[in-house]
């Protein structure tokens, strides 16, 4: 039996977690994700895109269909808080591995110059806090968060997942792995790792 790295983690009640989850439309269809991770998980594993609601009528105008909906930090948190920890049968939110204050959205271009004041490219930064400073699963957790965000978010988002400063003994090394597209792509070709990620995302 594998050694448990943190046998007694601090657990937050679900009622204490910030949330503004949307109920997906019954008519929504699973959306194929965009970006680097689009080919790593089969279609059946994708959940409906909460930011791309389906049309309620065939007569909707093209303007409504093309309208860009703003996305904030709370909605990002709702996407990743229910990811299951790879070591414990608990979510990343309940373990405080992901926290609302550690999520930031930074417009790459001046939003005031675009319709709806929404930049066509936005950098999303998520800082994760491992439950212990020597956690060997930090990279796996980071990959899980990245895969989930790549699944759900429109292509205008540039996802940057990293370890929060001062929370892990090898944070610099882990961050290099998470930020290297080629290394991430190579890691996601590992069947065993993909099995772990699928299990983590079952609860998301």
């Amino acid at each position: 039996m594998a050694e448990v790295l943190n046998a007694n983690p601090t657990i937050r009640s679900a009622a204490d977690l910030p949330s503004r989850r949307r109920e997906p439309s019954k008519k929504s269809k699973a959306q194929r994700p965009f970006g680097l991770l689009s080919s790593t998980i089969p279609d059946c594993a994708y959940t409906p895109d909460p930011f791309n609601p389906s049309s309620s009528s065939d007569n909707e105008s093209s303007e409504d269909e093309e309208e860009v909906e703003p996305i904030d930090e709370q909605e990002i948190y709702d996407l990743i808080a229910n990811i299951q920890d790879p070591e414990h049968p608990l979510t990343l939110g309940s373990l405080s591995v992901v926290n609302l204050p550690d999520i930031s959205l930074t417009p790459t271009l001046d939003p005031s110059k675009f319709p709806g004041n929404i930049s066509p490219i936005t950098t999303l930064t998520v800082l994760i806090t491992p439950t212990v400073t020597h956690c060997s699963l930090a990279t796996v957790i980071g990959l899980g968060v990245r895969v989930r965000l790549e699944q759900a978010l429109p292509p205008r988002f540039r996802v940057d997942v990293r370890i929060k400063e001062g929370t892990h003994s090898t944070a610099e090394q882990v961050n290099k792995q998470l930020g290297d597209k080629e290394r991430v792509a190579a890691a996601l070709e590992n069947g065993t790792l993909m099995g772990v990620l699928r299990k983590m995302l079952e609860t998301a």
Side-chain angles (χ1 to χ4, degrees), residues 130-141:
T131 57
V132 289
T133 58
H134 56 279
C135 178
S136 63
L137 298 173
T139 303
V140 175
I141 293 172

Side-chain angles (χ1 to χ4, degrees), residues 9 42 78 87-88 104 114-115 186:
D78 288 342
E87 181 180 22
H88 302 282
S104 62
F114 300 92

Side-chain angles (χ1 to χ4, degrees), residues 50-199:
F51 305 116
N52 187 20
S54 61
S55 300
S56 58
S57 169
D58 292 336
N59 297 324
E60 284 190 351
S61 68
S62 58
E63 290 183 1
D64 291 336
E65 292 175 353
E66 295 175 359
E67 182 179 356
V68 177
E69 186 174 1
I71 298 171
D72 63 13
E73 290 84 354
Q74 178 64 65
E75 291 179 278
I76 298 298
Y77 178 82
D78 288 342
L79 283 174
I80 61 178
N82 286 327
I83 296 175
Q84 182 172 306
D85 182 82
E87 181 180 22
H88 302 282
L90 300 164
T91 66
L92 300 186
S94 66
L95 290 170
S96 295
V97 173
V98 294
N99 300 280
L100 183 57
D102 294 331
I103 298 172
S104 62
L105 292 164
T106 307
T108 303
L109 302 174
D110 185 357
S112 65
K113 297 181 179 179
F114 300 92
N117 291 325
I118 298 177
S119 173
I121 302 177
T122 298
T123 298
L124 163 60
T125 302
V126 178
L127 304 179
I128 60 177
T129 304
T131 57
V132 289
T133 58
H134 56 279
C135 178
S136 63
L137 298 173
T139 303
V140 175
I141 293 172
L143 286 172
V145 171
R146 183 169 178 174
V147 167
R148 174 59 177 139
L149 294 173
E150 286 267 354
Q151 282 183 357
L153 294 176
R156 70 177 186 271
F157 287 90
R158 301 293 183 265
V159 179
D160 179 18
V161 179
R162 63 181 69 179
I163 302 296
K164 188 173 183 178
E165 185 176 356
T167 65
H168 196 273
S169 58
T170 60
E172 183 177 355
Q173 178 181 346
V174 174
N175 289 338
K176 285 183 179 180
Q177 293 175 336
L178 293 175
D180 188 322
K181 293 182 179 180
E182 292 185 0
R183 295 177 72 176
V184 168
L188 294 177
E189 293 179 357
N190 184 298
T192 300
L193 174 59
M194 289 308 303
V196 173
L197 294 180
R198 289 190 181 94
K199 182 68 176 178

